[in-house]
């Protein structure tokens, strides 16, 4: 514990700020989820929303929209935002690389690859089939990356993992582009792949929620070990950490969180890469704060961006990934300039 | 030490021979078969008119472009990885490709793709975009100097912003323009002729020797700012010069070939695996490897499903990624 305290002082962790951010972030998240249920292409007033919750009447289309479209969509956005941001935080902490994001573990590219295969086999897959294929692909991608990283003689180093991830990602993406070109399914696949949360239904949330909640809880338990691992493998070993075990668990958590997120929402870039940085700027370098902070800020950003994506050009939807980037980048640049310190 | 550099020289010579061999193979392969004998006859000036047209006006410029872009992107990636001290850095992730891409997409969107002018204007537009991205990254990260980590963070941000803007404008295009933009964005050297080659050549001819001349500075910078200062390098100035070189190389390459992903990231790694981290050898190896990789990828992409072509970027990813994974497992 003495070492932990020293660490805090030297790297300037900020528990008070972190506490404030967690509290206010949570309040803002609840408000923004309410907003996301309130606003949409169809104009629905507050009273109707309340009634749809308390006295649900399936005959009313407004009640249907609230119950079956907007509420699952809001919930999914929050869960996915949190999952992506937390996986990004774990990846950056574990590999000690500011450019690491969940997508470089091969998870996203693997999911995309399997979705391309699924579409090539059957051009009209059901939502559930696609989700399962995507999740299997996420596992495949991460499996290859992890396999390549650990087969090599000198063992599994974080940098090697990141490099293997980048190489495998680009190969899998190339393969899926090849498949989509050959079978002429590029447009259909892009609908799944760049999906966002627009077409989320309850079935998605029901499948998504348990996986993600398990992943998020595990990540909270991991937080302390990641902080130590972030000091470097040698230091972590010196402090008595079983680094291999921690890395394996961390990778499983990333796989669960990102795999579930990707299989429902396709690739939403930026959140996994940038939210952990923003959180680190705000709360300091202790992963006990970074991980819950990332979860809340990631959820907040995706819920807000999803709401905005419906309001920018109604009744059309703007891709949520672009909204997250355009909203997040100015803030991110401001912080990078102001703080600009490493991991 | 001497045996080491002897091994390095052998590797470089081997790469050079491989490039020449691939060049010769590539010349006689394609939708129209030209036999090696005919290639030889044409090269010494005795070929038929048709063969001359195929070799000199279609294949040769395209192959030379592949060599130049491969070397340019590789060196650009090598500089960026050393200057930022980050093994995952490349022109793509730092926003230079997407800056060029954004300029091109915006140009196509605004002019509705007047086909006559765009052939020559697009590369110039892309170059402006790449430089704009680099200026933005550098000026936003400047605060009493530039630190590598700030450079990377700002690069990520700029990249995300430009990528988002590309999508915003692409979605407002009509399908024809959309397709043209997509082809450009995924990297494509199929429509090249001599004018492109001549436009790209001076950049490579000047910047490649310049970078190799700066090899020892890159060695110093790679050790960290304080060490580099201790070794007498004017860190800030050298870093800016080298970044400029990296941007110009990437910008010029991207403007002609589109955003060929992965090339700038993987070649410096492959080179380091082969000849080690000293820049004098690794830079030359990077240039040779990049040229070889892109030429081989383009030859394969052109021929394997002939007469239809596989985009060269995809082949680069498969070839380079596969070899890289093999090296990772071996090391």
């Amino acid at each position: 514990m003495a070492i932990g305290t020293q660490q805090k002082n030297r790297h300037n962790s900020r528990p008070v700020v972190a506490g404030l951010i967690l509290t206010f972030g949570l309040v803002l998240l609840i408000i923004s989820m309410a907003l996301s249920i309130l606003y949409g292409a169809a104009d629905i007033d507050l009273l109707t929303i309340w009634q749809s919750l308390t006295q649900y009447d399936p005959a009313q289309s407004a009640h249907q929209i609230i119950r079956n479209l907007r509420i699952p969509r809001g919930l999914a956005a929050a869960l996915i935002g949190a999952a992506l941001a937390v996986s990004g935080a774990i990846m950056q902490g574990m590999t000690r690389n500011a450019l690491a994001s969940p997508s470089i573990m091969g998870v996203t590219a693997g999911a995309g690859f399997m979705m391309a295969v699924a579409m090539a086999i059957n051009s009209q897959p059901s939502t559930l089939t696609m989700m399962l294929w995507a999740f299997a692909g996420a596992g495949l991608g991460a499996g290859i990356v992890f396999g390549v990283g650990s087969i090599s003689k000198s063992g599994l180093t974080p940098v090697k993992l990141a490099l293997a991830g980048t190489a495998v990602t680009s190969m899998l993406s190339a393969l899926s582009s090849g498949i989509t070109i050959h079978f002429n399914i590029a447009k259909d696949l892009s609908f799944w792949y760049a999906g966002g949360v627009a077409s989320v239904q309850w079935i998605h949330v029901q499948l998504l929620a348990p996986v993600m909640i398990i992943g998020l809880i595990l990540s909270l338990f991991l937080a302390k070990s990641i902080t130590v691992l972030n000091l470097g493998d040698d230091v972590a070993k010196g402090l008595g950490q079983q680094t291999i075990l921690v890395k394996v668990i961390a990778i499983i958590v990333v796989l669960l969180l990102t795999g579930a997120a990707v299989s429902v929402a396709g690739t939403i870039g930026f959140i996994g890469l940038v939210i952990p940085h923003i959180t680190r700027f705000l709360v300091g370098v202790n992963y006990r704060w970074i991980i819950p902070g990332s979860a809340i800020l990631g959820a907040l950003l995706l819920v807000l961006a999803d709401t905005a994506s419906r309001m920018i050009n109604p009744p059309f939807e703007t891709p949520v990934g672009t909204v997250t980037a355009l909203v997040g980048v100015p803030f991110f640049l401001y912080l990078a300039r102001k703080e600009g310190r490493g991991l | 030490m001497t045996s080491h550099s002897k091994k390095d020289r052998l590797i470089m010579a081997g790469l050079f021979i491989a490039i020449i061999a691939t060049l010769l193979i590539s010349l006689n392969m394609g939708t129209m078969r030209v036999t090696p004998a005919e290639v030889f006859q044409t090269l010494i000036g005795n070929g038929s008119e048709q063969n001359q047209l195929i070799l000199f006006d279609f294949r040769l410029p395209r192959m030379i472009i592949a060599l130049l872009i491969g070397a340019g992107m590789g060196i650009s990636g090598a500089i960026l990885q050393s200057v930022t001290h980050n093994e995952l850095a490349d022109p793509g992730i730092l926003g230079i490709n997407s800056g060029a891409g954004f300029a091109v997409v915006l140009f196509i969107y605004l002019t509705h793709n007047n086909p006559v002018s765009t052939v020559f204007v697009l590369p110039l537009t892309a170059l402006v975009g790449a430089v704009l991205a680099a200026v933005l990254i550098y000026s936003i990260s400047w605060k009493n100097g530039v630190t590598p980590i700030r450079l990377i963070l700002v690069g990520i941000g700029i990249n995300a912003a430009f990528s988002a803007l590309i999508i915003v404008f692409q979605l407002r295009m009509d399908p024809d323009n959309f397709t043209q933009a997509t082809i450009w964005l995924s990297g494509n050297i199929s429509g090249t002729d001599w004018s492109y080659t001549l436009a790209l050549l001076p950049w490579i001819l000047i910047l490649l020797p310049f970078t190799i001349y700066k090899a020892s500075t890159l060695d110093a910078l790679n050790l960290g700012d304080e060490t580099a200062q201790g070794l007498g390098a004017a860190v800030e100035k050298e870093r800016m010069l080298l970044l400029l070189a990296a941007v110009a190389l990437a910008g010029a390459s991207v403007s002609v070939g589109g955003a060929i992903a992965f090339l700038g990231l993987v070649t410096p790694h492959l080179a380091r695996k082969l000849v080690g981290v000293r820049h004098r050898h690794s830079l030359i190896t990077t240039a040779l490897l990049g040229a070889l990789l892109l030429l081989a990828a383009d030859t394969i992409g052109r021929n394997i499903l002939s007469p239809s072509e596989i985009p060269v970027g995809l082949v680069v990813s498969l070839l380079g990624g596969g070899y890289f994974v093999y090296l990772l497992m071996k090391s």
Side-chain angles (χ1 to χ4, degrees):
Chain A
M1 206 56 231
I3 289 159
T5 324
Q6 267 179 12
Q7 200 52 49
K8 267 183 209 159
N9 292 339
R10 204 175 63 192
H11 283 278
N12 194 16
S13 174
R14 291 170 230 161
V16 179
V17 182
L20 281 175
I21 283 173
L22 290 188
T23 326
F24 279 107
L26 211 54
V27 174
L28 278 176
L29 179 61
I30 291 166
I31 296 174
S32 61
M33 284 182 75
L35 281 178
S36 100
I37 292 168
L38 193 57
Y39 288 103
D43 228 342
I44 301 172
D45 59 58
L46 274 171
L47 185 66
T48 320
I49 291 176
W50 182 247
Q51 281 172 350
S52 79
L53 294 174
T54 52
Q55 306 154 288
Y56 180 55
D57 175 9
Q60 282 201 40
S61 69
H63 286 198
Q64 290 255 10
I65 290 176
I66 296 295
R67 277 247 180 161
N68 295 333
L69 296 176
R70 290 200 192 157
I71 292 179
R73 183 173 178 170
L75 284 175
L79 280 172
I80 290 168
L84 290 173
V86 168
S87 332
I90 294 176
M91 283 302 295
Q92 288 172 7
M94 185 175 61
T95 61
R96 306 174 72 199
N97 195 311
L99 293 178
S101 73
S103 58
I104 69 165
M105 269 301 296
V107 175
T108 330
F113 172 68
M114 285 305 250
M115 285 200 246
V117 172
M119 288 226 91
I121 296 171
N122 172 9
S123 57
Q124 297 289 330
S126 72
T127 312
L128 193 62
T129 333
M130 278 306 258
M131 219 176 132
L132 292 176
W133 277 90
F135 201 76
L140 174 81
I144 298 176
V145 171
F146 200 55
V148 168
S150 49
I151 278 175
S152 67
K153 284 171 200 143
S154 53
L156 189 68
T157 64
V159 170
K160 198 177 279 174
L161 205 61
L163 290 174
T166 325
V168 170
T169 294
S170 87
M171 287 173 74
L172 285 172
S173 319
L175 280 177
S176 36
S177 304
I179 293 174
T180 57
I181 291 172
H182 187 72
F183 290 93
N184 204 10
I185 49 175
K187 211 180 153 200
D188 300 330
L189 188 72
S190 68
F191 168 75
W192 290 98
Y193 203 55
V197 285
S199 52
V200 164
Q201 301 155 10
W202 274 113
I203 174 85
H204 291 117
V205 180
Q206 281 159 2
L207 289 167
L208 196 64
V211 178
M212 289 200 168
I213 288 168
I214 292 172
L216 289 173
I217 291 172
L218 276 176
S219 71
L220 288 176
F221 281 111
L222 266 180
K224 200 177 155 199
S225 311
I226 300 265
T227 310
V228 176
L229 198 58
N230 193 31
L231 301 173
D233 265 30
D234 296 338
V235 180
K237 273 182 198 143
L239 290 172
Q241 187 181 79
Q242 290 186 293
T243 52
I244 301 283
L245 184 70
V246 171
K247 282 178 202 161
V248 170
I249 297 176
I251 286 164
I252 292 171
V253 171
V254 169
L255 175 61
L256 286 178
L257 291 175
T258 320
V262 170
S263 62
V264 171
T267 43
I268 299 175
F270 190 75
I271 289 188
L273 183 59
V274 168
I275 288 288
H277 284 297
I278 292 183
T279 314
R280 202 175 294 112
F281 291 139
L282 296 171
V283 306
V285 294
N286 191 335
Y287 277 77
R288 264 212 308 248
W289 297 113
I290 292 177
I291 286 180
S294 296
I296 286 175
L297 291 181
L300 183 63
L301 179 61
L302 194 56
V303 171
L304 283 176
D306 180 51
T307 314
S309 78
R310 280 176 267 168
M311 291 162 66
I312 288 173
N313 191 16
F316 301 106
E317 307 228 351
T318 313
V320 70
T322 62
V323 183
T324 49
L326 294 178
V327 172
V329 164
F331 186 54
F332 178 65
L333 287 179
Y334 165 74
L335 287 174
R337 237 187 94 72
K338 189 159 158 268
E339 299 278 339
R341 69 152 171 268
L343 293 170
Chain B
M1 191 64 210
T2 40
S3 73
H4 215 72
S5 58
K6 199 174 168 193
K7 190 195 113 201
D8 291 358
R9 281 204 196 91
L10 272 178
I11 288 174
M12 287 184 244
L15 284 171
F16 188 74
I17 293 166
I19 288 177
I20 302 288
T22 317
L23 264 176
L24 292 176
I25 294 169
S26 184
L27 265 179
N28 72 54
M29 284 176 75
T31 316
M32 304 283 288
R33 280 251 170 227
V34 184
T35 63
E38 283 171 328
V39 170
F40 180 73
Q41 287 294 332
T42 314
L43 285 182
I44 59 169
N46 295 332
S48 69
E49 215 158 283
Q50 191 200 3
N51 281 348
Q52 276 192 356
L53 185 74
I54 292 176
L55 292 190
F56 287 135
D57 288 351
F58 293 129
R59 287 194 195 153
L60 208 54
R62 179 172 176 169
M63 283 157 46
I64 292 176
I65 278 278
L67 292 176
L68 294 177
I69 292 179
M73 290 296 268
I75 293 287
S76 176
I79 298 176
L80 290 173
Q81 285 175 11
S82 294
V83 167
T84 60
H85 308 201
N86 195 313
E87 305 201 41
L88 297 183
D90 77 341
I93 204 161
L94 291 180
I96 294 169
N97 288 359
S98 57
F102 171 66
V104 166
V105 167
L106 187 66
F107 183 81
I108 295 176
Y109 174 73
L110 290 178
T111 60
H112 295 287
N113 188 23
N114 176 358
V116 184
S117 68
T118 48
V119 173
F120 296 102
V121 180
L122 271 189
L124 208 62
T125 316
L127 191 62
V128 171
V131 172
L132 174 73
V135 169
L136 272 176
I137 294 170
Y138 201 78
S139 53
I140 294 177
S141 17
W142 181 274
K143 197 171 104 183
N144 305 321
V146 170
T147 61
I149 183 73
R150 209 156 51 217
L151 216 51
I152 285 183
L153 293 174
V154 172
I156 299 174
I158 296 288
N159 187 30
F162 274 131
S163 307
L165 286 172
I166 287 177
I167 295 175
V168 168
F169 280 99
Q170 258 195 314
L171 286 176
R172 290 163 178 266
M173 288 178 172
D174 58 55
D176 280 352
N177 289 347
F178 186 100
T179 311
Q180 205 212 357
T182 313
I183 289 176
W184 191 92
L185 287 171
S186 48
N188 172 31
I189 53 173
S190 63
T192 48
D193 59 33
W194 283 111
S195 56
Y196 289 115
T197 317
L198 292 177
L200 183 56
L201 194 63
W203 296 90
I204 308 287
L205 278 187
I206 296 169
L207 291 171
L208 214 63
F210 170 78
T211 312
I212 293 167
Y213 169 70
K214 287 282 181 194
S216 54
T217 315
L218 275 171
D219 283 333
L221 279 178
N222 204 20
L223 294 173
D225 284 10
E226 282 98 11
T227 320
Q229 249 151 11
L231 291 171
V235 171
E236 212 57 70
K237 188 184 127 225
E238 297 290 347
R239 178 153 54 211
M240 194 162 118
L241 273 179
L242 283 161
L243 278 176
L244 263 179
V247 170
L249 281 169
S253 306
V254 168
S255 68
V256 176
I260 298 171
F262 199 55
L263 196 59
L265 177 74
V266 79
T267 27
H269 281 285
L270 296 178
R272 278 194 294 266
K273 295 257 178 224
L274 289 174
V275 300
V277 295
R278 294 278 306 276
H279 281 87
R280 192 166 303 282
H281 287 173
S282 78
L283 281 173
I284 298 172
T285 314
T286 301
L288 290 170
L289 258 178
L292 178 63
L293 181 58
L294 195 56
L295 180 64
D298 188 47
T299 310
I300 293 172
R302 214 151 46 84
N303 288 297
I304 204 163
L305 289 181
S306 168
S308 62
E309 291 199 1
I310 307 174
V312 67
L314 302 186
V315 189
V316 167
S317 292
L318 287 177
L319 272 186
Y323 186 49
F324 189 46
V325 163
Y326 164 74
L327 283 181
L328 274 177
M329 296 201 309
K330 215 182 75 175
S331 71

